[in-house]
Amino acid sequence: MTWVGRPRRTVPEQTSSEAKTSSLTPVSSMRTFWGLMRAYWFSDRWKEAWTLTLVIALLTALSSKAGVWFAVALGELGNSIAFLHDAANTHPLQTILTNAGILVLLVVLKDAGFTGVRTLVSATLHRKWRGWLNSQFNQALLDGNHTHFHAQHGSAAGGIVAPDNIDQRIQESIKDMTGGAIGLAMGVLGVATSLYFIGENLIGSSVEVKGLEFLGGYGTAVLAFLAVAIYVPLNTWIAVKLGRLLERLNVRMQQAEGSYRSELITFLRRSFHVAASHGEGVQKSMHDRLYVDIDKTWGRLNVVNTSYASFELIYNFVGARIVAFAPGLLSFIHNRLDYKGYITGSEMVAQLIGQCSWFIHVMPAIATLRANSQRVTELANAIENVQHPREFYQQTGRSDFSYATQNPVFGLTIQKLELAHQGEDATPFVSAANLRFRRGEWTFLKGESGSGKTSLIKAINGLWPYGRGTIVFPEGVTNFYAAQEVKLQQVSLKQLVCLPGSENDHSDTQVASALHKAGLGDFIEHLADESREGKIWDQVLSGGQKQKLVVARIILQQPGLLFLDEATGALDPEGKIAFHQAIKDNCPNVTVISVMHEVVPPRSLSGEEFYHSVVAIADSVATKKPLAPSLPRELTTILAQPPRPTEDKWLRFRRMKQK
């Protein structure tokens, strides 16, 4: 990772109440279910959202009205078939064909016209809403606060759990949630319009029912509404019970699949190391163990889904073939309702049951919607919680870092710094009473492995969570953090060199010059390319070339503070010298703080020291002093070489001197 900082400014401390009221992010309004659902319609894209919504509402109303026409046409067709041989029917075949043709036209109008166009418009709304949410979460995560970094540092012990599988939440959860929400909203609207149009028709065609004369001419309509009111809610209660189980299993399935996918992604990134260590067996057992969780959850989910599908099939049959035909049966038997009226009324009741059963039909979608929305709102809450990192980390440990600026003449100052791990009473593993780094000074940071060298650099850059201390930056100076592992985004070579700024910030000539000075002149002609020979730059460039690319960035950006965290680990001794020499020649006033594995820092080919001072970490204390007098060049070269199994370095040096 290579991180380039911005000029730091002194920011006044905020109280907890002020922080809560002032921290507004692009997802601040999406921390609850309903806040998430309505955010798009009250955003700067409200015209787009409401226009598509109103078109969908209009098409839904027309589709419901067409359902009434369909029921009437079906009654006409059934009646013409029933009275096919009636003597009064002078044109029986023509009547049947006419009614059948009208029925087919209505089906085409309803399904291909109103419903089909509504599907296209709703898919457009789905695409627009999802794209807007995706941009909002990306903007919130990739801000100057490094929210993406802090959000992953929650602690279960402190009651703040970091969101797992953030990529899955942004992509899959948002996609499924927006699609499910639009479908459910159309279902609710369909119920409302169907109740209006079908209810109006049922009341208008209602007749008296024997034994229920007190209802007058509203007898069959009352029975129809009563049948729907009893049948649908009873079965909805059953659907809710099954839906809650589906919701829990869907959440568990997402978590299991996300963990498995994350491990696969991690494995592909370290594929070489697995192959070199012959670790395929261990990796396979890990994959098998993670997939067991998917398989078990999937098995339970299949059982519940199958049970729900069976329940829905039985519900649909009973509703459409028994319940729908019951309300008008008595009136038809007692000849108060003709066959046409009976068929038409029964078909309308069946349509009303179907529309009012949207909750049952989409319960699996509701379960998925609730599961997805929960994961999205959890991410929104995690983003909001870390807008003030100091207060966030203070909930699980001691975090009292303060950052300020001073006149650039005084350089970088560190005072009373203590680094610790999580927990209020954690013992500091690194402490520094007072460290000062002058402008243009190069400092070599050394200490045993695990002593806290990298942690110290992270803390200076505001990327270490626990501890205390004051870091005072030179005002108006940018800083550049280069680590050993360099990951390159899938963008053009010019953009990779210009990061973190835009490729428009520098001319091609400037970028080409930086690449040439860094030792990558062979790639100048490919500045506009995002790939080479079918491979992205992260795959094209070797580890050493990637670190030379970092040098090109440094030369181009001209930072005032440069932090090298084992940034030359992939280079040979000559490459390390060239790395430092390029920075020395092209960034004369830069302040460098560097961590390396070497016992002594590299020197130039002429024998001059690159570094002026050394910060040593011993017994958890960091102290700074001038670099020791230069050793003979021959000794420095020998010490930097790996020893032979049976030969001492000092003995080799003595033999060289004798020669």
Side-chain angles (χ1 to χ4, degrees):
M1 179 186 77
T2 303
W3 177 76
V4 181
R6 297 298 189 187
R8 295 179 180 269
R9 296 178 299 174
T10 304
V11 180
E13 295 293 327
Q14 293 176 308
T15 63
S16 298
S17 59
E18 289 174 338
K20 291 178 181 178
T21 56
S22 64
S23 60
L24 292 177
T25 72
V27 298
S28 294
S29 61
M30 307 179 202
R31 303 176 67 183
T32 63
F33 175 79
W34 289 113
L36 180 63
M37 290 297 107
R38 66 172 175 260
Y40 176 53
W41 279 261
F42 292 91
S43 69
D44 56 347
R45 303 266 290 274
W46 65 271
K47 291 183 180 179
E48 171 187 271
W50 284 107
T51 299
L52 292 170
T53 302
L54 291 175
V55 173
I56 292 172
L58 175 61
L59 292 170
T60 301
L62 290 173
S63 181
S64 297
K65 185 63 176 178
V68 175
W69 299 336
F70 175 83
V72 173
L74 189 63
E76 291 283 358
L77 178 61
N79 188 64
S80 62
I81 294 174
F83 293 94
L84 177 66
H85 302 291
D86 192 284
N89 192 351
T90 57
H91 302 287
L93 185 59
Q94 181 181 350
T95 303
I96 291 175
L97 292 177
T98 300
N99 290 333
I102 293 173
L103 186 64
V104 171
L105 287 175
L106 285 173
V107 169
V108 172
L109 178 65
K110 178 178 181 294
D111 295 339
F114 301 145
T115 305
V117 174
R118 185 184 68 169
T119 300
L120 176 61
V121 177
S122 64
T124 302
L125 177 59
H126 182 195
R127 177 171 59 87
K128 297 288 187 180
W129 186 14
R130 179 202 176 187
W132 181 80
L133 280 174
N134 184 77
S135 67
Q136 296 301 105
F137 274 91
N138 277 331
Q139 183 179 345
L141 284 167
L142 301 171
D143 60 358
N145 182 54
H146 308 304
T147 294
H148 63 93
F149 174 80
H150 298 302
Q152 300 177 71
H153 286 72
S155 169
I160 305 173
V161 181
D164 66 319
N165 306 308
I166 292 177
D167 60 333
Q168 184 191 49
R169 292 172 188 258
I170 292 178
Q171 292 301 310
E172 295 178 13
S173 295
I174 287 180
K175 178 183 178 182
D176 293 342
M177 181 202 72
T178 49
I182 292 171
L184 292 176
M186 289 193 300
V188 173
L189 187 59
V191 170
T193 54
S194 293
L195 280 172
Y196 177 78
F197 291 122
I198 296 177
E200 180 185 43
N201 197 279
L202 283 174
I203 293 173
S205 60
S206 180
V207 297
E208 188 180 84
V209 177
K210 186 176 181 180
L212 298 176
E213 289 82 359
F214 65 92
L215 295 176
Y218 297 105
T220 55
V222 171
L223 287 180
F225 289 132
L226 187 62
V228 174
I230 293 175
Y231 184 68
V232 175
L234 177 62
N235 287 276
T236 300
W237 179 82
I238 299 173
V240 169
K241 294 295 183 182
L242 291 172
R244 287 176 179 171
L245 183 56
L246 281 172
E247 179 186 350
R248 291 195 295 271
L249 290 174
N250 272 315
V251 171
R252 182 62 205 147
M253 190 71 172
Q254 287 180 340
Q255 293 172 338
E257 288 185 330
S259 298
Y260 184 69
R261 185 182 65 182
S262 295
E263 181 52 43
L264 282 174
I265 293 173
T266 303
F267 157 65
L268 293 175
R269 289 174 178 170
R270 63 186 181 208
S271 179
F272 169 77
H273 302 286
V274 172
S277 62
H278 301 282
E280 285 82 1
V282 174
Q283 191 72 35
K284 181 179 180 299
S285 65
M286 185 186 305
H287 290 174
D288 291 342
R289 175 171 52 82
L290 289 173
Y291 192 79
V292 165
D293 197 9
I294 295 177
D295 191 64
K296 288 182 178 179
T297 307
W298 199 357
R300 294 177 61 193
L301 194 58
N302 286 341
V303 171
V304 178
N305 276 326
T306 302
S307 301
Y308 197 93
S310 300
F311 158 75
E312 190 174 4
L313 288 172
I314 295 171
Y315 171 84
N316 290 339
F317 174 80
V318 173
R321 293 292 176 261
I322 297 177
V323 177
F325 283 82
L329 185 60
L330 282 177
S331 297
F332 178 68
I333 291 174
H334 293 93
N335 208 27
R336 294 181 180 178
L337 188 65
D338 60 14
Y339 180 74
K340 174 185 173 182
Y342 177 52
I343 293 297
T344 302
S346 299
E347 186 60 36
M348 287 191 181
V349 174
Q351 290 233 12
L352 188 60
I353 290 175
Q355 291 289 348
C356 292
S357 300
W358 69 272
F359 194 76
I360 294 174
H361 298 323
V362 299
M363 181 54 69
I366 291 177
T368 304
L369 169 64
R370 288 173 59 88
N372 285 317
S373 62
Q374 176 184 332
R375 291 176 67 74
V376 176
T377 54
E378 283 176 356
L379 180 57
N381 276 290
I383 290 172
E384 196 72 15
N385 288 338
V386 300
Q387 290 312 297
H388 300 275
R390 178 175 174 178
E391 294 182 5
F392 171 71
Y393 291 121
Q394 282 177 344
Q395 299 177 64
T396 54
R398 185 172 185 177
S399 183
D400 293 321
F401 296 105
S402 62
Y403 297 87
T405 59
Q406 62 186 2
N407 191 302
V409 174
F410 300 107
L412 171 68
T413 303
I414 300 172
Q415 300 172 339
K416 298 179 180 179
L417 183 70
E418 292 183 350
L419 305 185
H421 294 292
Q422 188 180 104
E424 288 290 341
D425 301 325
T427 302
F429 61 86
V430 173
S431 62
N434 189 16
L435 300 176
R436 183 183 296 275
F437 303 91
R438 303 185 309 275
R439 181 169 58 182
E441 179 182 9
W442 287 44
T443 303
F444 176 57
L445 185 58
K446 71 175 184 178
E448 295 182 358
S449 180
S451 62
K453 301 185 295 295
T454 295
S455 301
L456 178 59
I457 292 182
K458 287 181 178 179
I460 296 173
N461 286 275
L463 299 176
W464 185 262
Y466 302 108
R468 66 174 182 176
T470 301
I471 297 93
V472 186
F473 283 85
E475 189 173 14
V477 172
T478 59
N479 54 320
F480 191 109
Y481 188 165
Q484 179 178 10
E485 185 178 9
V486 182
K487 291 295 182 183
L488 304 180
Q489 294 95 324
Q490 191 171 346
V491 294
S492 68
L493 179 60
K494 182 181 179 182
Q495 179 65 79
L496 288 174
V497 181
C498 293
L499 287 175
S502 168
E503 61 183 351
N504 298 321
D505 295 341
H506 303 277
S507 67
D508 289 355
T509 303
Q510 291 174 316
V511 175
S513 175
L515 283 172
H516 176 73
K517 293 175 181 178
L520 295 176
D522 293 341
F523 297 100
I524 289 175
E525 61 185 26
H526 302 285
L527 285 181
D529 299 339
E530 292 188 3
S531 61
R532 188 178 181 187
E533 297 178 354
K535 295 182 179 180
I536 62 174
W537 289 108
D538 194 56
Q539 299 170 326
V540 171
L541 300 180
S542 66
Q545 288 174 325
K546 289 178 183 178
Q547 292 183 334
K548 290 181 180 179
L549 180 64
V550 172
V551 176
R553 289 180 182 173
I554 295 170
I555 294 173
L556 190 65
Q557 302 294 337
Q558 291 291 306
L561 285 172
L562 177 59
F563 301 91
L564 303 176
D565 188 3
E566 300 181 13
T568 59
L571 299 173
D572 57 24
E574 290 77 11
K576 292 176 182 178
I577 293 174
F579 182 100
H580 286 78
Q581 192 67 57
I583 297 173
K584 195 79 171 180
D585 293 341
N586 296 283
C587 305
N589 294 319
V590 66
T591 300
V592 180
I593 302 176
S594 176
V595 175
M596 287 181 287
H597 284 304
E598 285 77 8
V599 178
V600 293
R603 297 161 60 192
S604 70
L605 292 175
S606 63
E608 296 180 3
E609 297 286 358
F610 289 118
Y611 290 86
H612 310 102
S613 58
V614 59
V615 170
I617 300 178
D619 298 325
S620 301
V621 178
T623 54
K624 181 173 179 284
K625 58 183 179 181
L627 194 65
S630 300
L631 295 172
R633 180 177 175 80
E634 297 88 343
L635 177 58
T636 304
T637 303
I638 292 176
L639 291 175
Q641 295 175 355
R644 298 176 184 175
T646 58
E647 187 173 15
D648 183 81
K649 291 183 178 180
W650 292 99
L651 180 60
R652 283 189 287 147
F653 175 65
R654 290 179 60 187
R655 289 176 179 173
M656 180 181 291
K657 295 294 290 182
Q658 290 174 356
K659 291 179 181 180

